[in-house]
Amino acid sequence: MPAGPPVDPRGPRLAAWITTVVLAVGLVTQWWPLLAVQTVIFAIGAFAGL
């Protein structure tokens, strides 16, 4: 049984770029709520998957 449709490689790449920018902005500006939100998004992605 197939695992489902293949993942378009552009999606994860875009997500990685967005994550990089968000984390860089959060660290440079020391805006901790932004980093907290990104942590929650990481957790959701880790437990829920794609």
Side-chain angles (χ1 to χ4, degrees):
M1 181 185 311
V7 176
D8 184 355
R10 293 173 292 183
R13 281 189 216 142
L14 177 63
W17 274 105
I18 292 171
T19 299
T20 300
V21 170
V22 167
L23 289 176
V25 168
L27 290 172
V28 169
T29 63
Q30 295 184 355
W31 193 33
W32 302 114
L34 180 63
L35 296 175
V37 168
Q38 187 63 49
T39 301
V40 170
I41 292 171
F42 277 154
I44 291 170
F47 289 109
L50 292 175

